[in-house]
Amino acid sequence: MRLGIIGLPQSGKTTIFNALTRGDQPVTTSGGRFEVHTGVVDVPDERIDILSRMFKPKKTIYAKVTYADIAGLEGGKSAISGPLLNQLSQMDGFVHVVRCFEDASVPHPAGSVNPARDVATMDSELLLNDLIAAERRLEKLADERRKGGGREKGLIDRDIALFERFQETLSNDQPLRELEVSSEEEKSIAGFGLLTRKPMLVILNLGEGQQPPALEYSRPGVAVTPVQGRLEMDIAQLGPEDAELFKAEYGISELALGKVIHQSYDLLGLMSFFTVGPDEVRAWTVNRGASAVEAAGAIHSDLAKGFIRAEVVTYNDLVTLGGLAEARNKGKLRLEGKEYIVKDGEIVHIRFNL
Ligand SMILES: Nc1nc2c(ncn2[C@@H]2O[C@H](COP(=O)(O)OP(=O)(O)OP(=O)(O)O)[C@@H](O)[C@H]2O)c(=O)[nH]1
Ligand SMILES: [Mg+2]
């Protein structure tokens, strides 16, 4: 799963990226140049820590999220061009970094710090691009319908109706993530990478000790969270001991970054199930509502192909009872079939036969 970090120039994208990935990309200005850096981040999970202590495996593997620091968005109400748009459309969701910090030595491209305005600017930039994409698609569909010989007319008409709905929604300044579409329709737009369909996490990038601004912004599929970006980046770059000292000195009990990673994960509609054993304790990522056979497929396609049964135990039962054998003895290890809906935090063992 990949989240693209976007925002106006000099809003603190690379700073947030470094904080999330414990990276040290230089925070010099990209000058609006198109530039992408990616980093993979473990999703912190106390349950994995505890299972790992229980099973003492050779390897402990957390769920992962990839962040991409994408520079080059100007926020000038112009269409986003080629390679940049291509990058954006490949993301599963966005982290929008909004500058709140005041610093005279860092000029704001619009001349002043105004988070509400910047949120609106980025929203309309993404909207504009989807509007252009929808219009292009409608032209193509009209051509296809006129020429004939390809897909069935009924299918083309269905797509035309859908993209006309998109066009209308976007023209009313409404992002597409707020529109209900059927699973059929979902399939016919999967390849288009429409930007306003993607979930978004808005990060209010605060200066040290700054209070978050009041921002009236509540929309489906968007979460808003304040982060003291530079402070968190500085801490992320320290060793664990120094980081503790630093946090004590600044009176920080918990970093916002763990929360940001969790919010990203939730926003993308993901959850984790676990596998345990002496070799490996591991978190696997699936969509919420995934079935047992889909969970098997997340581990390996062979497990889905040869699926017989899933042995399932809840995290709480396993930890309380102290082991898989104990769980089995107490009848807490359930046998489930292909269609079983896996829950977040369940420990799943797939029985399969090829
Ligand atoms: N004072 C202060 N400066 C910050 C803060 N966060 C970021 N900066 C500074 O703002 C400048 C821009 O930060 P970057 O993280 O490079 O911003 P960016 O969005 O990646 O910039 P571009 O890639 O050039 O668009 C840097 O000089 C940072 O040190 C903060 O919380 N307080
Ligand atoms: Mg940058």
Side-chain angles (χ1 to χ4, degrees):
M1 286 297 151
R2 292 210 301 165
L3 285 142
I5 302 178
I6 59 173
L8 296 182
Q10 297 284 282
S11 52
K13 297 179 292 298
T14 305
T15 302
I16 296 288
F17 175 82
N18 282 342
L20 286 167
T21 60
R22 297 175 190 278
D24 54 3
Q25 287 295 331
V27 289
T28 50
T29 174
S30 64
R33 240 174 318 116
F34 170 57
E35 215 173 78
V36 184
H37 300 282
T38 55
V40 181
V41 175
D42 281 349
V43 179
D45 196 331
E46 197 189 28
R47 298 169 302 183
I48 286 288
D49 302 335
I50 289 171
L51 290 171
S52 182
R53 259 174 263 145
M54 239 173 106
F55 286 87
K56 303 186 175 50
K58 296 195 192 99
K59 270 188 296 182
T60 299
I61 302 176
Y62 294 82
K64 295 197 177 0
V65 177
T66 301
Y67 289 97
D69 176 13
I70 306 174
L73 273 168
E74 291 287 4
K77 280 226 164 199
S78 57
I80 302 166
S81 61
L84 178 56
L85 182 58
N86 189 30
Q87 280 292 328
L88 295 177
S89 49
Q90 286 172 31
M91 298 294 150
D92 299 299
F94 295 122
V95 172
H96 176 194
V97 177
V98 179
R99 172 168 172 181
C100 300
F101 67 88
E102 297 279 354
D103 186 339
S105 69
V106 181
H108 189 295
S112 62
V113 175
N114 182 339
R117 175 201 59 206
D118 293 352
V119 169
T121 301
M122 186 58 65
D123 278 355
S124 44
E125 181 133 349
L126 300 177
L127 271 165
L128 178 66
N129 272 273
D130 279 357
L131 190 57
I132 295 170
E135 280 165 0
R136 282 209 190 112
R137 180 71 188 137
L138 279 169
E139 281 168 26
K140 286 236 171 70
L141 287 164
D143 267 357
E144 190 183 357
R145 198 174 193 293
R146 197 157 19 83
K147 288 190 189 126
R151 294 189 298 162
E152 238 176 80
K153 278 232 158 41
L155 285 178
I156 302 174
D157 286 341
R158 197 196 60 193
D159 276 4
I160 290 178
L162 176 65
F163 277 87
E164 278 175 351
R165 254 171 79 213
F166 283 177
Q167 193 182 26
E168 195 193 323
T169 306
L170 293 161
S171 304
N172 291 328
D173 268 351
Q174 210 186 352
L176 296 178
R177 64 178 87 83
E178 295 177 10
L179 202 66
E180 292 279 341
V181 303
S182 67
S183 53
E184 279 283 287
E185 291 173 328
E186 191 74 60
K187 274 183 214 141
S188 67
I189 55 171
F192 289 95
L194 293 161
L195 305 180
T196 67
R197 279 208 49 83
K198 300 178 194 295
M200 185 156 76
L201 178 63
V202 174
I203 288 190
L204 301 173
N205 184 20
L206 307 175
E208 232 174 83
Q210 189 184 4
Q211 288 304 309
L215 188 74
E216 296 288 328
Y217 190 81
S218 149
R219 308 202 73 131
V222 182
V224 181
T225 197
V227 177
Q228 298 179 42
R230 196 157 76 175
L231 190 64
E232 299 241 352
M233 177 182 89
D234 289 345
I235 297 173
Q237 289 169 344
L238 296 173
E241 274 171 34
D242 288 342
E244 285 313 314
L245 287 174
F246 198 99
K247 277 158 69 181
E249 192 175 323
Y250 280 83
I252 302 167
S253 56
E254 203 194 352
L255 292 182
L257 295 168
K259 194 174 140 213
V260 168
I261 298 170
H262 277 282
Q263 279 177 317
S264 318
Y265 207 63
D266 287 346
L267 212 57
L268 292 172
L270 304 174
M271 64 168 202
S272 302
F273 72 91
F274 307 136
T275 53
V276 295
D279 284 335
E280 188 178 274
V281 163
R282 180 164 184 164
W284 300 88
T285 301
V286 285
N287 289 321
R288 279 200 289 272
S291 64
V293 71
E294 283 167 339
I299 300 175
H300 198 287
S301 56
D302 283 352
L303 297 202
K305 232 183 286 166
F307 184 97
I308 302 171
R309 280 270 185 275
E311 293 180 317
V312 181
V313 56
T314 66
Y315 169 79
N316 281 335
D317 281 344
L318 182 61
V319 171
T320 315
L321 296 171
L324 285 172
E326 291 82 349
R328 183 177 283 116
N329 291 341
K330 295 272 187 225
K332 295 291 186 188
L333 201 65
R334 287 172 276 128
L335 280 181
E336 303 285 0
K338 279 188 178 177
E339 306 300 326
Y340 172 75
I341 302 297
V342 176
K343 318 283 179 314
D344 184 56
E346 282 180 332
I347 289 87
V348 179
H349 177 75
I350 307 292
R351 287 201 203 156
F352 73 112
N353 186 7
L354 274 186

